[in-house]
Amino acid sequence: MRERLTLVVTTLNNAATLERCLASAAWADAIVLLDSGSSDATLQIAQRYGATLFSEPFKGYAAQKQSAIDKAASRWVLLLDADEALDGANARAAIELALQAPAVAGFRLPRREQVFWTFNHRGVRLNTHLRLFDRERVRMNDVPVHAAPATREPVATLGEAVFVHYGEPDIHTKVAKINAYSSGLVAHKQRKRVRWMGARLVLYPGVFFLRQYIGKRWFLDGWAGFINAVSAAYYVFLKYAKVYEEQKRRLG
């Protein structure tokens, strides 16, 4: 018999993608949804799937997700964003099997990305994310914008439990995220006292482009992969450029 599992989702006006998210893991033993003031059909969709609903003002990405995790009805949780969904029966089967007798604190799941008008080619090397875990041994980290579950205990990777991110349907959305996320990371980078700023600005974007386009095989995504790699390189440039700008501003 496997461990009981709670699907945990945080929302704000996610009616466009939430149904796909909940449907992909409707087999979970419970669904907890923490909303921060939706005015669209988000809550009605959640009710159709029998979710236990909570409402709290948005406290920041890490705090909001941790609050939702703490409300889970079981120790083991599957944490998905409202614009993510498990990729079919293979993902469910892998998760069900992993929860039979888990010997680790959690499992990292591969994430396939929407890349504008297409999705990652099957040959792309997917990033993995810790999304299936024992909530008593895993906590959200404090990285702004990119807050994620973290633990010092052993975790494993479930290669078959792929989930899909539907968050970047066009270039406009991608660029808007790049601008917002790079600004959101300035204070965090300042606290870490980033060194070698000149080298980071000049060299790192090109290195990052090659790492993604060649190393992660984004070239298999065609022109969408090329545009995505250039955008990603611009993102790493922009976040350090904004840190540099803030440093100069503080110095007067």
Side-chain angles (χ1 to χ4, degrees):
M1 184 174 181
R2 68 162 172 81
E3 295 281 347
R4 289 181 59 82
L5 180 68
T6 301
L7 171 64
V8 175
V9 185
T10 57
T11 56
L12 174 62
N13 292 330
N14 294 115
T17 59
L18 182 61
E19 183 147 15
R20 181 165 45 202
C21 171
L22 299 183
S24 76
W27 49 269
D29 300 293
I31 299 174
V32 165
L33 187 141
L34 176 57
D35 188 71
S36 52
S38 291
S39 58
D40 62 2
T42 292
L43 298 183
Q44 291 92 321
I45 294 169
Q47 288 172 336
R48 289 206 303 270
Y49 283 87
T52 301
L53 304 180
F54 299 90
S55 180
E56 294 177 0
F58 185 69
K59 302 176 289 294
Y61 293 101
Q64 195 77 3
K65 289 182 184 297
Q66 187 61 58
S67 181
I69 292 166
D70 291 340
K71 294 173 173 57
S74 59
R75 284 184 56 174
W76 279 85
V77 302
L78 172 64
L79 179 66
L80 292 179
D81 289 342
D83 60 0
E84 297 171 339
L86 292 178
D87 190 16
N90 286 346
R92 173 181 178 174
I95 291 172
E96 296 262 25
L97 181 61
L99 292 180
Q100 292 290 334
V104 292
F107 297 91
R108 300 182 65 87
L109 312 182
R111 186 170 77 174
R112 178 168 290 114
E113 300 285 348
Q114 181 175 16
V115 191
F116 315 130
W117 58 86
T118 186
F119 290 85
N120 284 143
H121 185 278
R122 294 288 175 177
V124 166
R125 296 174 61 187
L126 304 180
N127 292 328
T128 61
H129 303 267
L130 181 57
R131 295 301 189 86
L132 178 66
F133 55 86
D134 180 345
R135 65 185 178 91
E136 295 186 4
R137 294 189 284 169
V138 176
R139 304 283 295 178
M140 296 296 297
N141 63 24
D142 62 354
V143 179
V145 181
H146 298 301
T151 183
R152 294 186 177 181
E153 297 192 37
V155 299
T157 298
L158 287 182
E160 296 299 316
V162 176
F163 67 112
V164 182
H165 181 215
Y166 296 89
E168 296 177 355
D170 50 53
I171 296 170
H172 175 87
T173 301
K174 178 76 171 184
V175 173
K177 283 187 176 182
I178 285 171
N179 194 37
Y181 288 1
S182 57
S183 293
L185 285 170
V186 170
H188 177 71
K189 293 291 184 183
Q190 288 279 43
R191 287 196 301 272
K192 292 181 66 175
R193 298 183 180 181
V194 178
R195 302 177 63 189
W196 310 108
M197 187 62 73
R200 290 177 186 272
L201 287 170
V202 173
L203 300 177
Y204 190 43
V207 171
F208 193 81
F209 171 85
L210 292 174
R211 190 173 78 184
Q212 303 304 108
Y213 192 65
I214 304 299
K216 294 283 189 179
R217 304 173 189 158
W218 286 10
F219 63 87
L220 293 173
D221 292 331
W223 280 109
F226 177 78
I227 295 168
N228 198 30
V230 172
S231 301
Y234 177 59
Y235 171 54
V236 300
F237 169 79
L238 199 61
K239 67 183 179 182
Y240 288 115
K242 289 182 178 181
V243 172
Y244 182 77
E245 177 185 49
E246 183 62 22
Q247 290 174 346
K248 289 298 183 182
R249 183 178 288 118
R250 290 187 177 187
L251 292 173

